[in-house]
Amino acid sequence: MFVSVFEIFKVSIGPSSSHTMGPMVAANRFIEHLAKNKGRFDRGDRCSVQCKLQGSLAFTGKGHATDQAVLFGLCGFSPETFDREEAEDRMVKLRIGKSIEIADEFEASLDPETGIIFDYDTKEMPHPNTMTISLVGPDGDARFEETYLSIGGGFVLTKEEHYNVDKLEKKVEAIAIPFPFHSAKEMLEMGREHGKSIAEMKRANELTRMNETDLNIGLKKLWAVMDDCVERGLDGTGILPGGLKVRRRAADVRAKLLDQRGKNQQMPHVANDWISLYAMAVNEENAAGGQVVTSPTNGAAGVFPAVIKYYLNHVPGATLAKAHEMLLVGAAVGGLIKHNASISGAEVGCQGEIGSASAMAAAAFCAALGGTNEQAENAAEIALEHHLGMTCDPIAGLVQVPCIERNGMGAIKAIAAASLALNGDGEHIVALDTCIKTMYETGRDMDSRYKETSLGGLSVNQPAC
C-alpha cells in the first residue's frame, strides 16, 4: 500500500478539499480530456458544457463554493497554480461571453447561471460526492460525459476508476517499495524486523518514486506553505465570507496572549491557547478561500500545522529536520486511514477529517519527541478513538462553524494523546487498526444528515441567518 506524502499533503485552496478542490480537479480533468481528443468531439458546431452536482456536493455546494470551483476548473485553473485575481477576471469574461475555450478553435457554450445543476433528488450514487460533467451537442445528445467522485482530501476518481480501485492500487503497487505495509500492525512488525522508525520506512518508500533532493525540497515546501498559512491567518481580520458573519479571531487572540506574556500573567494552560490559535488561524484562512495544505483535508487543515508550529515555537530543542520527519510520519498514518477507511466527511462524518488529522498529528508529535514506533501508533489510536462518532454538520454548508474551533480541539487532543503515549510503553488494549475499522463502520452506520449535508445537527438547530 503506497500513498505518497505529497498525496496526503497537497497544496490546495479553501474552503474544502472535497467540495472545492476536488470538483476543480475533476472539471479540469474533463477539459483536458476534451482538448486531447479534440478530433472526436469538435464537429464545427457549438456544443455546451453542463455539470450536475449530487449528494453532499449539491446540499452544501453553495456554502463550499463548489459551483465556482467547477467553473474555475472548466476554465483551465487547477488548485496548485490557482491565481484568484486572474480567476476572477476570467469569471467576468465568462459571465459576459458565456463560453470557454477548450483547445485552439474549439469552444463550448457555458452559462455560469444555468450550466451548474444542483441535483437534490437523486439518492442512489456511487459516492456521496458525485458529479457528472457533459459535453452536449446542439441536438441535445451528450458527445462525452464523465462521472467523477470527490472522495476526500482532493482525491478524485472517475466512476470507472472507483469500481476498479483494486486494479488501480495493484498498478501503483507494481512499483516495489521496501516497506509495503497495509496496516499499522504490519508497519510495526516491519519496523521491529528492520530496526527502522516510521519516518525512515516512509522515506525509503518515497525514494522509490523520487530522488532524495526532490523529496527534501518537497517536504520543505509543504511546511513553508503551511507556515505561511498560519502567519497569514494570525494577521487576518474582518468578517469571513458566506453570510454567517463569522468574525476572524486569530489576530485578537494572539494579541491577548502576547500581552499576557509581557505582563507575566500567563496561566498554566496557556499552551492550549497557542495550539488552538495556530489551528484556528489556518482554518480562518481556509474559510476565506486562501491557500492551505490538505492535512489530510481542507476542513481539517489546521490540526497538523498547528502541532508542528507548537513543536517548533514551544518545545525546547525542536529542529526543522524533525518537523519535516513529522510530515512523513503523519502521511504514513493518514495513508493507512485512507486505504482502510475514509478521510471524507461526506462518507464517514468529521471523525474521518478532524479525527484522522488528530491521529496523524499525534503520531508525528510523539515521534518527534523521541517516541518509539509503538508509542506513535498508540498516540494515533488515542487521538482517533476520542473522535469516533463525530458528525459533520457545518452550519449553512460553510466550513466555519463548528469547523474552525474543531481544528483547535483536534490539535489539543493530538498533543494530549502523544503525551499519554509517551508516558506509556506502547502497549494498549485497542489497536490503531481496530480503531480505523471502527471509525469506518461507524461512518457507514451514520445517518446521511450528519455527513456533510447540513440537514441535521447544528445545521438545523442553529439558524443560519
Side-chain angles (χ1 to χ4, degrees), residues 245-316:
K245 299 181 180 179
V246 174
R247 180 173 59 86
R248 296 179 70 144
R249 291 179 285 169
D252 287 343
V253 173
R254 179 176 62 171
K256 290 177 181 177
L257 291 177
L258 291 174
D259 183 60
Q260 291 170 12
R261 177 185 290 174
K263 295 178 180 178
N264 199 25
Q265 294 178 340
Q266 295 184 104
M267 298 293 286
H269 59 261
V270 70
N272 285 342
D273 296 331
W274 283 105
I275 298 163
S276 294
L277 170 63
Y278 296 144
M280 290 172 60
V282 171
N283 282 83
E284 287 179 356
E285 268 297 289
N286 178 62
Q291 187 181 64
V292 300
V293 174
T294 61
S295 308
T297 66
N298 278 32
V303 176
F304 208 95
V307 172
I308 295 184
K309 190 78 167 177
Y310 174 76
Y311 166 73
L312 290 173
N313 285 3
H314 301 266
V315 175

Side-chain angles (χ1 to χ4, degrees), residues 447-462:
D447 191 291
S448 63
R449 291 175 297 169
Y450 303 104
K451 293 192 284 190
E452 211 167 354
T453 58
S454 290
L455 297 176
L458 290 174
S459 304
V460 298
N461 289 311
Q462 173 66 41

Side-chain angles (χ1 to χ4, degrees), residues 299-341:
V303 176
F304 208 95
V307 172
I308 295 184
K309 190 78 167 177
Y310 174 76
Y311 166 73
L312 290 173
N313 285 3
H314 301 266
V315 175
T319 66
L320 198 55
K322 283 287 186 182
H324 294 163
E325 284 191 7
M326 290 173 72
L327 291 166
L328 293 171
V329 176
V333 173
L336 289 175
I337 296 173
K338 182 185 180 300
H339 176 72
N340 294 303

Side-chain angles (χ1 to χ4, degrees), residues 172-284:
V172 171
E173 292 181 0
I175 302 176
I177 57 176
F179 303 102
F181 49 82
H182 293 75
S183 66
K185 180 182 178 182
E186 290 181 357
M187 181 177 70
L188 295 178
E189 289 174 346
M190 290 178 188
R192 284 191 291 267
E193 180 182 353
H194 297 278
K196 298 285 188 181
S197 69
I198 295 173
E200 288 171 336
M201 289 189 289
K202 184 60 178 165
R203 176 176 286 274
N205 287 346
E206 295 289 339
L207 291 177
T208 62
R209 267 64 175 182
M210 65 185 72
N211 62 51
E212 186 136 21
T213 298
D214 289 342
L215 175 58
N216 291 334
I217 290 173
L219 295 174
K220 183 178 179 180
K221 178 184 176 182
L222 281 177
W223 170 240
V225 175
M226 286 181 175
D227 195 32
D228 286 346
C229 184
V230 174
E231 293 299 328
R232 288 197 312 273
L234 291 174
D235 291 333
T237 58
I239 304 298
L240 292 171
L244 281 182
K245 299 181 180 179
V246 174
R247 180 173 59 86
R248 296 179 70 144
R249 291 179 285 169
D252 287 343
V253 173
R254 179 176 62 171
K256 290 177 181 177
L257 291 177
L258 291 174
D259 183 60
Q260 291 170 12
R261 177 185 290 174
K263 295 178 180 178
N264 199 25
Q265 294 178 340
Q266 295 184 104
M267 298 293 286
H269 59 261
V270 70
N272 285 342
D273 296 331
W274 283 105
I275 298 163
S276 294
L277 170 63
Y278 296 144
M280 290 172 60
V282 171
N283 282 83
E284 287 179 356

Side-chain angles (χ1 to χ4, degrees), residues 124-145:
E124 297 297 324
M125 62 198 83
H127 189 276
N129 292 332
T130 295
M131 56 187 287
T132 299
I133 312 179
S134 309
L135 178 71
V136 182
D139 55 2
D141 291 338
R143 292 188 181 173
F144 177 67
E145 185 172 89

